[in-house]
């Protein structure tokens, strides 16, 4: 991804770059016994790279006995269809649930009605069906504002953490 001026850009359209990235991923699986990779900035990588990456890395992990190798993608979007388009056998098998986060956060913070939770789940189910189980719920990330600040009552955090731990995703 190219987020100038702070980071350099990998040319993920280039087969040599693809080979190197896949070789590095396989090294981590074998040497560090990792069970998955968090794939950040998913939309900013050449789309033609991802099917190859997922096929080769998943096959390699399976050869080492890792049949359910986790490949969550971070796709910052409010559109469920964008996440659905990235999921599948040659795609991510989990995703950060940004559509739910963006819709439900005010309800989690007590600033909006709780019916937003139900509406968000219905929207996920309508587009993603069973794949909704592969959505990862969160209350903040390095790319979002922090959930808890000095003015947030601690009880709101307990409710939010309960929601993250006990709801789908």
């Amino acid at each position: 991804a190219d987020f100038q001026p702070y980071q350099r850009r990998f040319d993920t359209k280039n087969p040599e770059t693809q080979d190197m990235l896949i070789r590095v991923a396989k090294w981590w699986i074998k040497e560090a016994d990792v069970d998955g990779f968090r794939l950040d900035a998913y939309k900013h990588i050449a789309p033609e790279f991802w099917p190859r990456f997922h096929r080769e890395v998943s096959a390699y992990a399976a050869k080492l006995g890792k049949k359910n190798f986790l490949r969550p993608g971070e796709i910052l979007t409010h559109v469920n269809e964008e996440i659905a388009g990235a999921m599948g056998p040659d795609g991510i098998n989990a995703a950060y649930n940004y559509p739910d986060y963006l819709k439900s956060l005010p309800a989690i913070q007590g600033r909006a009605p709780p019916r937003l939770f139900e509406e968000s789940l219905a929207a996920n189910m309508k587009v993603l069906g069973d794949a909704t189980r592969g959505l990862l719920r969160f209350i903040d990330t390095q790319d979002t504002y922090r959930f808890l600040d000095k003015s947030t009552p601690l009880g709101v955090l307990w409710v939010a953490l309960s929601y993250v731990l006990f709801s789908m995703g």
Side-chain angles (χ1 to χ4, degrees), residues 8-153:
R8 301 281 178 189
R9 184 183 192 294
F10 283 121
D11 182 9
T12 52
K13 291 181 182 179
N14 182 330
E16 291 177 23
T17 303
Q18 293 179 12
D19 291 344
M20 183 265 309
L21 291 171
I22 291 169
R23 201 169 40 252
V24 167
K26 289 177 179 180
W27 184 90
W28 278 104
I29 294 168
K30 183 178 180 193
E31 298 300 323
D33 195 28
V34 297
D35 295 319
F37 292 120
R38 175 184 174 273
L39 304 169
D40 195 6
Y42 197 83
K43 294 190 302 187
H44 302 284
I45 303 296
E48 59 270 18
F49 169 63
W50 286 126
R52 179 179 175 210
F53 176 86
H54 291 298
R55 277 192 311 272
E56 292 186 31
V57 166
S58 295
Y60 183 77
K63 192 171 87 172
L64 297 178
K66 297 174 181 290
K67 306 286 186 214
N68 296 311
F69 195 76
L70 186 62
R71 302 177 322 274
E74 184 182 48
I75 303 170
L76 202 139
T77 181
H78 66 280
V79 180
N80 283 307
E81 287 81 1
E82 288 183 31
I83 291 174
M87 293 184 88
D90 287 342
I92 55 178
N93 57 8
Y96 286 79
N97 196 348
Y98 272 98
D100 177 72
Y101 166 80
L102 295 167
K103 184 171 185 102
S104 298
L105 185 63
I108 294 169
Q109 294 171 325
R111 297 183 292 109
R115 76 172 179 274
L116 293 181
F117 300 128
E118 187 176 348
E119 291 171 6
S120 180
L121 178 60
N124 285 159
M125 295 295 292
K126 180 180 177 185
V127 173
L128 293 154
D130 287 340
T132 300
R133 291 182 301 214
L135 297 179
L136 307 173
R137 191 172 308 286
F138 60 92
I139 56 174
D140 69 22
T141 71
Q142 82 284 358
D143 292 325
T144 64
Y145 291 107
R146 292 299 174 199
F147 180 81
L148 193 60
D149 63 24
K150 292 179 182 178
S151 66
T152 306

